[in-house]
Amino acid sequence: MVSDINVEFAARLLDEIRIHTNEMGGVFVSLCGSKGSGKTTWMHQYATQVGYIHPATKALTKETVIWRGRDIDYWNWWLDPTYEWENTALKRDVVIHIHSEDEVEFRDEMKRPVTVPHLRKYFSAPELYSNLETGAINVVYEPRDYRMSPAVKDILAARCCTVPLSGNIRLDPPIFWFEFLAFLLRVKGPGFISILLDEADEIFPQNPVGIRWHIQEWFKDNAKDMRKNNITCLFSCHDWNDVDYRIGSKVQYKIWMKGARLPNSSIIRQLDANALTRMLFTAVGQAMIERDGYGTFNIPKLRERPRVKAHFLNLAGRDYERWVPTYDEERDRLKAKALEKAKSQPALTKSGKRRGRPPKIRDDLPGTPGVIR
Amino acid sequence: MPPSMQDEVIQELDIPDWVYSPLLRAGDTVDNLIPDTGDRAAISTIIGVYSYCTGVWYMKRYTQVLASALQGLLVKTGRFSPEYREYFRRIWASWKQARLLMVSSEDHALADCLFSRIETALKLIAERERFTKNTSDVYSARLGLQLQEPPKREEDPYGI
């Protein structure tokens, strides 16, 4: 019957993306769903479940997880003693990595400070790599003031046939992930790493321009090398069209949640004529996974907890003084506003009266007679 | 009517009584014949998929496939009682009327009404026999395994 196959497919495909072997290598997974569909909840669960078969011990071993840290995040839930771990053997340490030039204060949404048990600082991709804790969940915050390293400039120069950047230009922080992946591909050992990228449209936007186009092209060309190097990449987005189509074409496993719009390439869309309607009415916490078939699975509900907020004190952050304009700035702003208003007014006549239609006096409305409307 | 002419006249397929009884294999009893999760999810899928389809042609196919699936499950579970046989005979008669009404596009609305009534009749059977699944029956995505701690990074030749 249909659903027996459905359950079998769901179980098999999920096991393929969370239990890794040397034969299969890493996997490339996408997770699409509208806001509140349960994407981050499932990524939370996935980060605790992912493992690999160790070649020497043949045991199912915890895989090293890299979690992309965001300004508002959920990693503090793992630190809660009441967190719903599936079993005690899946418990992992959480290590926070921030750039050495950044000063970060972690507080939850109730403004209570969040105690970070393990905090490590990195300056470069090599240092981040050496600081990674194997078998743990490594939450990595991109450097707020990201400058591309010479090695990445050389890679891009070879692709672009020109020198892409000169000098020390500040770039969009998510570009750091490409630098880190480029380094990882070159130095990494045979072990398994899973990289979980939430809100991937910030990293692989649909319409990149300039150097970003070449960076994403590089990523697309190296996606298969990442899999062969036992690097798993799982990214989430709200809509399939938010992400660069070149990278979307490299995705092996697609997971769809409530509100996802299935592209034409989706097997579910090809096999099920009512797939689009069904996705709209899929329950929150239910997902469909597809590769060479598709299946449905439930995501366990996690108790809602306050999220953690990262305040970068080296930027404007919570430094209130930086949010107040200086006197000179304010005066110039007001002056510019007055000049603009004066330009929009009709010109004065020689007698000093304003040109244009006089204001209409309405005395048919309640209130003071002669009020100008 | 002579036997030679009987094959030329349009006749409805007559399903013999023995087909409505489940075939018991060695070790089977009537009490063991319960619908498995696959059967139940299939019925739920049929209901779910067609629920969002509009149009009399979809309703025709929906009621047809749901009726046949439910009858199959009732036979499989040994619950196809004489009352159900009479019930499905009446459903079939109504379905035939609705289908014949569809010949004229002016009668599509009336046919749609008949199909809706048939749909309700079939859903009542599905629910009373507990042939449908709910969310808790879907695969739970639990790992069900235990993970070992990895060896120390500096000691592991297979590390990252």
Side-chain angles (χ1 to χ4, degrees):
Chain A
M1 296 284 243
V2 169
S3 59
D4 261 341
I5 299 174
N6 183 298
V7 170
E8 281 177 25
F9 262 111
R12 176 173 70 81
L13 293 173
L14 274 178
D15 283 344
E16 283 176 9
I17 66 172
R18 58 189 179 188
I19 299 174
H20 302 140
T21 60
N22 270 331
E23 291 78 29
M24 287 287 291
V27 292
F28 204 175
V29 186
S30 71
L31 175 61
C32 275
S34 57
K35 187 178 180 311
S37 57
K39 298 192 299 294
T40 310
T41 306
W42 182 74
M43 287 174 72
H44 237 253
Q45 185 191 35
Y46 177 81
T48 64
Q49 292 179 337
V50 66
Y52 68 101
I53 306 293
H54 195 279
T57 63
K58 304 296 181 196
L60 186 57
T61 309
K62 288 178 187 173
E63 189 165 317
T64 305
V65 173
I66 297 176
W67 176 279
R68 181 189 177 214
R70 305 197 68 246
D71 289 357
I72 300 178
D73 214 318
Y74 297 78
W75 53 258
N76 62 317
W77 291 15
W78 286 308
L79 305 177
D80 187 346
T82 62
Y83 182 73
E84 301 91 332
W85 301 94
E86 188 180 320
N87 59 62
T88 52
L90 298 186
K91 275 190 178 178
R92 293 173 192 243
D93 287 334
V94 178
V95 181
I96 311 297
H97 301 261
I98 58 173
H99 196 260
S100 52
E101 299 291 308
D102 291 329
E103 265 183 70
V104 188
E105 184 188 64
F106 294 110
R107 286 182 181 266
D108 66 14
E109 289 176 300
M110 312 299 288
K111 297 190 178 179
R112 297 174 299 210
V114 172
T115 307
V116 178
H118 307 286
L119 180 70
R120 295 177 190 174
K121 293 215 170 188
Y122 69 94
F123 180 72
S124 59
E127 199 172 340
L128 173 60
Y129 167 68
S130 62
N131 286 350
L132 290 176
E133 182 70 27
T134 50
I137 299 172
N138 297 270
V139 179
V140 175
Y141 280 88
E142 302 138 6
R144 294 292 123 156
D145 186 10
Y146 169 62
R147 319 270 170 161
M148 192 177 280
S149 64
V152 180
K153 287 184 188 175
D154 292 341
I155 293 172
L156 289 174
R159 293 186 72 89
C160 308
C161 302
T162 59
V163 176
L165 291 170
S166 58
N168 210 9
I169 300 174
R170 193 174 171 183
L171 294 172
D172 195 14
I175 296 178
F176 168 76
W177 288 103
F178 297 98
E179 175 164 334
F180 180 64
L181 281 165
F183 177 77
L184 209 57
L185 279 172
R186 280 154 179 78
V187 303
K188 188 185 153 296
F192 285 83
I193 291 181
S194 282
I195 303 178
L196 278 55
L197 303 170
D198 204 0
E199 308 295 346
D201 50 303
E202 295 171 1
I203 305 173
F204 324 115
Q206 174 62 269
N207 296 311
V209 293
I211 190 173
R212 197 130 194 185
W213 190 94
H214 294 283
I215 289 174
Q216 288 175 204
E217 180 78 3
W218 170 88
F219 185 89
K220 179 261 293 182
D221 292 337
N222 285 272
K224 57 183 179 307
D225 290 330
M226 286 197 286
R227 295 196 298 265
K228 290 175 187 172
N229 269 279
N230 297 338
I231 298 174
T232 289
C233 182
L234 187 150
F235 68 84
S236 75
C237 55
H238 290 292
D239 192 273
W240 185 251
N241 292 326
D242 289 344
V243 168
D244 192 337
Y245 73 94
R246 295 171 293 172
I247 291 164
S249 66
K250 298 297 176 187
V251 172
Q252 295 171 295
Y253 298 83
K254 301 183 181 79
I255 300 175
W256 310 102
M257 302 189 73
K258 181 178 171 61
R261 291 191 297 170
L262 304 178
N264 291 337
S265 57
S266 165
I267 286 180
I268 301 171
R269 186 164 176 170
Q270 289 166 23
L271 294 178
D272 185 347
N274 299 300
L276 294 179
T277 315
R278 233 167 7 130
M279 291 315 300
L280 284 175
F281 292 97
T282 300
V284 171
Q286 209 170 69
M288 297 181 80
I289 181 169
E290 67 166 280
R291 193 189 176 193
D292 50 350
Y294 67 94
T296 312
F297 62 95
N298 275 343
I299 297 164
K301 186 151 176 53
L302 296 177
R303 186 170 59 86
E304 284 293 321
R305 298 167 170 89
R307 297 171 293 182
V308 60
K309 283 185 167 184
H311 301 283
F312 286 83
L313 303 175
N314 49 311
L315 301 176
R318 294 176 67 235
D319 181 359
Y320 293 136
E321 288 301 319
R322 286 181 60 87
W323 291 94
V324 177
T326 60
Y327 175 74
D328 288 333
E329 284 177 24
E330 178 70 11
R331 187 180 59 185
D332 290 343
R333 189 183 67 80
L334 289 173
K335 193 174 171 185
K337 194 177 172 185
L339 275 172
E340 200 178 324
K341 190 176 177 183
K343 278 182 194 170
S344 65
Q345 295 288 337
L348 294 174
T349 61
K350 282 186 184 175
S351 58
K353 292 182 183 174
R354 291 196 183 278
R355 293 186 193 280
R357 198 161 55 182
K360 189 176 178 184
I361 298 175
R362 308 245 343 236
D363 54 4
D364 57 341
L365 293 171
T368 308
V371 171
I372 300 170
R373 299 285 176 189
Chain B
M1 180 185 302
S4 59
M5 286 181 66
Q6 283 180 6
D7 289 340
E8 295 172 6
V9 174
I10 297 172
Q11 290 184 31
E12 201 172 288
L13 177 65
D14 185 28
I15 302 175
D17 291 343
W18 58 268
V19 176
Y20 291 105
S21 303
L23 189 63
L24 296 176
R25 296 192 183 89
D28 280 344
T29 62
V30 177
D31 295 330
N32 288 353
L33 300 175
I34 52 175
D36 62 25
T37 54
D39 297 329
R40 289 163 53 223
I43 297 293
S44 301
T45 303
I46 293 169
I47 295 172
V49 165
Y50 280 100
S51 292
Y52 304 113
C53 297
T54 54
V56 67
W57 292 98
Y58 280 115
M59 286 299 289
K60 174 193 84 68
R61 182 60 191 144
Y62 171 32
T63 48
Q64 185 182 358
V65 74
L66 185 58
S68 57
L70 284 175
Q71 289 181 83
L73 271 187
L74 285 169
V75 169
K76 183 177 175 179
T77 54
R79 301 182 204 179
F80 211 112
S81 61
E83 289 81 14
Y84 270 134
R85 288 187 63 175
E86 174 59 23
Y87 192 63
F88 276 104
R89 190 193 63 74
R90 286 157 59 187
I91 288 174
W92 171 235
S94 179
W95 194 93
K96 274 196 295 189
Q97 282 185 329
R99 182 62 186 91
L100 290 171
L101 280 172
M102 285 174 67
V103 171
S104 164
S105 58
E106 291 174 357
D107 294 327
H108 276 197
L110 187 54
D112 208 356
C113 293
L114 291 179
F115 282 130
S116 298
R117 191 77 177 147
I118 293 168
E119 180 199 349
T120 304
L122 293 170
K123 268 192 185 169
L124 291 174
I125 298 172
E127 295 296 343
R128 78 190 294 265
E129 292 290 340
R130 296 178 197 264
F131 283 160
T132 51
K133 281 179 67 121
N134 54 34
T135 310
S136 62
D137 293 316
V138 177
Y139 181 59
S140 71
R142 294 175 67 84
L143 186 63
L145 299 169
Q146 298 197 333
L147 299 179
Q148 306 289 329
E149 291 291 336
K152 281 200 171 76
R153 192 168 170 179
E154 47 276 6
E155 297 169 3
D156 185 9
Y158 297 100
I160 59 172

